[in-house]
Amino acid sequence: MKKYILLFLISLIYSSTAFSQEKRIAAADKKYDTHAYIDAIKIYESTAEKGYKSQELFEKLGNSFYFNSEFEKAAKWYGELFALNTETEPEYYYRYSQSLKSIGNTVKANEMLDLFYQKSKNDKRAQLYKADKNYLEEIKANSGRYKIENAGINSEYSDYGTALYQNKIVFTSARDKGTFGQLKDKWTGGSYTNLYEAELDADFNLGSPVKLNNGINSKFHEATPVFTKDGKTVYFTRNNYVDGKKGKNEHKTTLIKIYKATLENDKWVNITALPFTSDNYSTAHPALSPDEKTLYFASDMPGTIGQSDIFKVGIKADGQFSTPENLGSGINTEGKETFPYITSENEIYFASDGHPGLGGLDIFTGKISENGVSEIKNVGTDINSPQDDFGYIIDPKSRRGFFSSNKNGGTGSDDIYKFLETKKLICVQELRGTITDLASGTILPNSTISLFDAKYQLLNTINSDENGRFTFAVTCGNVYSIRAEKENYASKEQSVSIKKENGTTNTDIVLESTKAKVTIGDDLGKFVGIKTIYFDLNKADIRPEAALDLEKVLQVMQQYPTMKLDIRSHTDSRQSHKYNQALSDKRAKSIIKWLADNGVTSDRLTGKGYGETQLVNKCADGVKCSEEEHQMNRRSEFIIIEM
């Protein structure tokens, strides 16, 4: 009997212990759900140290450290998660890889990224990694361009997020410990941040920091301001708090918003949240375009691709705002994109943990255009580290600036560093060449040169100078088409690949006079250098590159107003005879229509399709041929029938 009593007591003790653990975890979950990660960590860790294991426990422990950028501890608990050998969401493979990078375990981090790609092939972060597995080599190549030193204003607490303001900088700091009982941020466990200022000299040396005491700072977070050039308007990040009232979302959590204030009598007044902010999502880290007509910011508002995206919003002449616009998948990923900064050279600098980097947040740069952001590059290991690097600002003229980081060797949890950029990252190339006559070699001044991108979209048109030379500003590493035209010469088009380093790419163009002998029965297409008029598979629409070739024919017909052509279109032997006959006929008519639409009278044009009836090689039905051999049969001829 005593044996059974003992077993019963053990069972009671176990049940009581399990119930107690469940209560503790439930209490921690409440803290976690309100972003009180520091309090949640204490309970989760205590429970885990007593031997309790579960997927949810390790996920939330890892996340609590990950969201506070304590990547070494995050890696520990994500490691415990994966040691359970349970199926978990793909996001944890990515977070574990980021955490592993931060502790220098790049090999295992890339293994996790390979698994992440297998599970999330549509994720932009996975695609970026798969497209460039040599990203570490590229980051290395982008390094060695900065002189960096501590900004000299850091405390033992968190200091970050600089903004230029007249002859000062304004930055964010948690150094103000205040009086006994001061409020603490439950997310980080530290003090709420305020804005400070420091005098700035021409060499970007800083004076002693002074707390801003003119109306902006409150008892909650203020951070990351940006000022208009006249110094009379500021946009800044603050907890959802104004006029003594704290706003909360449906989970009773206070998020962050962008606020605006104006300067009157040396005091910031009229503090209001921007109209596109909300209690239910965050907006933060504002940045102004050089003309101050566009505000860029980070947010997780509806329409966000990832955890936070970079948006832009127009500032109208009357001070109103347009509808915010996501900058798109060219820059934003399923991860975090944040801390934008815009220069007068149409560059954007931003922090991201979604683009291939060293771990945590890395700083990247890209080019802004009407079509979005392109040419995104990691700025290199001088600035970036395995920890969080963010808050980059630069003066484009002096190439001096500041950034923030919690990298090893700093003074506090986040520190501000100043830098001098000694070599620009964005590659600058010029495409140059000379236009000459084929027969004599003489230069051809005043030739018309057109530049097209890889999709055959016209980018620019110029004339060669008196020495027959031309120059285009182009993007390093891109492929372009250039086309040269001159009266009494056959136009010529050629492709050119631009070098990937700063400098010049040279390509000369030789034109052939159209006064050379052509006669009835000749194929004008061969004379002007047309090999193939390309069509999309099984279609008869004129593609952009086909239009470029047809313009060569058009130019000659304009020079010879009595010339008449018979357009003959051919296909390869694949598909049926009937199908090929109909398709080639449509293509011939499509070419005739294009020439007619561009000014050639219909009485000068005839034509039809010949399908596969006039093959130029052996590739008939049932004969095995290469794609190149089939291509020889897919052709259009421009036979001169009258001069």
Side-chain angles (χ1 to χ4, degrees), residues 187-204:
W187 182 310
T188 64
S191 299
Y192 283 98
T193 57
N194 290 135
L195 297 181
Y196 286 73
E197 63 180 1
E199 296 289 337
L200 178 70
D201 69 16
D203 295 321
F204 275 46

Side-chain angles (χ1 to χ4, degrees), residues 89-216:
E89 294 179 14
E91 186 64 28
Y92 289 98
Y93 289 84
Y94 191 81
R95 291 177 187 170
Y96 190 25
S97 75
Q98 290 289 95
S99 302
L100 288 166
K101 287 182 189 179
S102 73
I103 59 175
N105 195 343
T106 304
V107 173
K108 190 170 183 179
N110 286 341
E111 290 175 359
M112 288 294 111
L113 284 173
D114 286 331
L115 293 170
F116 177 66
Y117 176 79
Q118 292 175 19
K119 294 175 178 292
S120 299
K121 291 184 179 180
N122 293 327
D123 191 297
K124 177 73 178 292
R125 296 168 296 176
Q127 293 170 355
L128 288 169
Y129 166 71
K130 194 67 173 180
D132 188 10
K133 283 197 169 185
N134 294 322
Y135 68 94
L136 291 174
E137 290 300 316
E138 291 193 10
I139 293 173
K140 182 179 178 180
N142 295 343
S143 305
R145 304 180 301 105
Y146 290 92
K147 294 181 179 179
I148 297 171
E149 58 184 298
N150 190 298
I153 56 171
N154 294 304
S155 68
E156 61 183 291
Y157 305 103
S158 181
D159 302 289
Y160 67 93
T162 51
L164 299 174
Y165 175 50
Q166 298 175 344
N167 295 321
K168 305 174 183 178
I169 68 161
V170 177
F171 65 98
T172 309
S173 180
R175 68 184 62 198
D176 183 9
K177 306 308 293 180
T179 58
F180 178 76
Q182 185 182 20
L183 293 172
K184 298 283 187 180
D185 181 3
K186 293 182 179 180
W187 182 310
T188 64
S191 299
Y192 283 98
T193 57
N194 290 135
L195 297 181
Y196 286 73
E197 63 180 1
E199 296 289 337
L200 178 70
D201 69 16
D203 295 321
F204 275 46
N205 297 312
L206 297 172
S208 299
V210 178
K211 187 177 180 181
L212 240 61
N213 289 313
N214 52 359
I216 288 183

Side-chain angles (χ1 to χ4, degrees), residues 277-298:
T277 62
S278 169
D279 292 347
N280 295 313
Y281 55 78
S282 289
T283 52
H285 315 313
L288 281 169
S289 61
D291 62 7
E292 300 183 352
K293 294 180 179 180
T294 306
L295 186 75
Y296 294 79
F297 62 96

Side-chain angles (χ1 to χ4, degrees), residues 353-373:
D353 66 3
H355 291 267
L358 302 176
L361 292 170
D362 274 22
I363 295 168
F364 296 82
T365 184
K367 296 292 286 186
I368 298 177
S369 68
E370 293 181 358
N371 298 322
V373 180

Side-chain angles (χ1 to χ4, degrees), residues 187-397:
W187 182 310
T188 64
S191 299
Y192 283 98
T193 57
N194 290 135
L195 297 181
Y196 286 73
E197 63 180 1
E199 296 289 337
L200 178 70
D201 69 16
D203 295 321
F204 275 46
N205 297 312
L206 297 172
S208 299
V210 178
K211 187 177 180 181
L212 240 61
N213 289 313
N214 52 359
I216 288 183
N217 288 323
S218 71
K219 60 182 179 180
F220 296 106
H221 282 304
E222 280 76 36
T224 55
V226 62
F227 299 84
T228 54
K229 293 172 185 175
D230 62 10
K232 295 181 179 180
T233 302
V234 62
Y235 301 92
F236 64 99
T237 307
R238 176 193 273 184
N239 277 114
N240 188 355
Y241 178 83
V242 68
D243 295 333
K245 298 179 181 179
K246 191 160 81 166
K248 296 183 178 181
N249 66 7
E250 57 188 14
H251 302 295
K252 304 201 181 291
T253 300
T254 298
L255 303 177
I256 52 177
K257 290 184 176 182
I258 298 174
Y259 288 82
K260 176 183 177 182
T262 54
L263 189 65
E264 294 181 10
N265 299 319
D266 202 32
K267 187 175 180 65
W268 293 105
V269 296
N270 303 320
I271 298 176
T272 56
L274 297 188
F276 52 83
T277 62
S278 169
D279 292 347
N280 295 313
Y281 55 78
S282 289
T283 52
H285 315 313
L288 281 169
S289 61
D291 62 7
E292 300 183 352
K293 294 180 179 180
T294 306
L295 186 75
Y296 294 79
F297 62 96
S299 179
D300 60 352
M301 63 170 52
T304 301
I305 296 171
Q307 297 162 43
S308 68
D309 284 3
I310 298 176
F311 290 77
K312 67 177 181 179
V313 62
I315 304 173
K316 300 178 182 179
D318 61 1
Q320 299 298 307
F321 293 85
S322 63
T323 301
E325 178 183 345
N326 190 302
L327 285 195
S329 59
I331 181 172
N332 291 316
T333 70
E334 286 81 352
K336 289 180 288 187
E337 278 70 46
T338 185
F339 288 94
Y341 182 75
I342 317 299
T343 74
S344 57
E345 298 176 337
N346 288 325
E347 296 170 317
I348 182 170
Y349 290 89
F350 64 100
S352 171
D353 66 3
H355 291 267
L358 302 176
L361 292 170
D362 274 22
I363 295 168
F364 296 82
T365 184
K367 296 292 286 186
I368 298 177
S369 68
E370 293 181 358
N371 298 322
V373 180
S374 60
E375 301 176 45
I376 291 176
K377 300 179 185 294
N378 187 299
V379 300
T381 58
D382 312 302
I383 298 286
N384 290 322
S385 71
Q387 307 301 317
D388 279 337
D389 309 285
F390 57 99
Y392 182 106
I393 68 171
I394 187 171
D395 170 37
K397 293 183 179 179

Side-chain angles (χ1 to χ4, degrees), residues 523-544:
D523 183 353
L524 181 60
K526 292 181 179 179
F527 176 74
V528 296
I530 297 176
K531 294 181 180 179
T532 305
I533 296 293
Y534 288 102
F535 294 89
D536 288 325
L537 184 64
N538 298 329
K539 293 184 178 180
D541 300 323
I542 301 295
R543 285 169 48 175

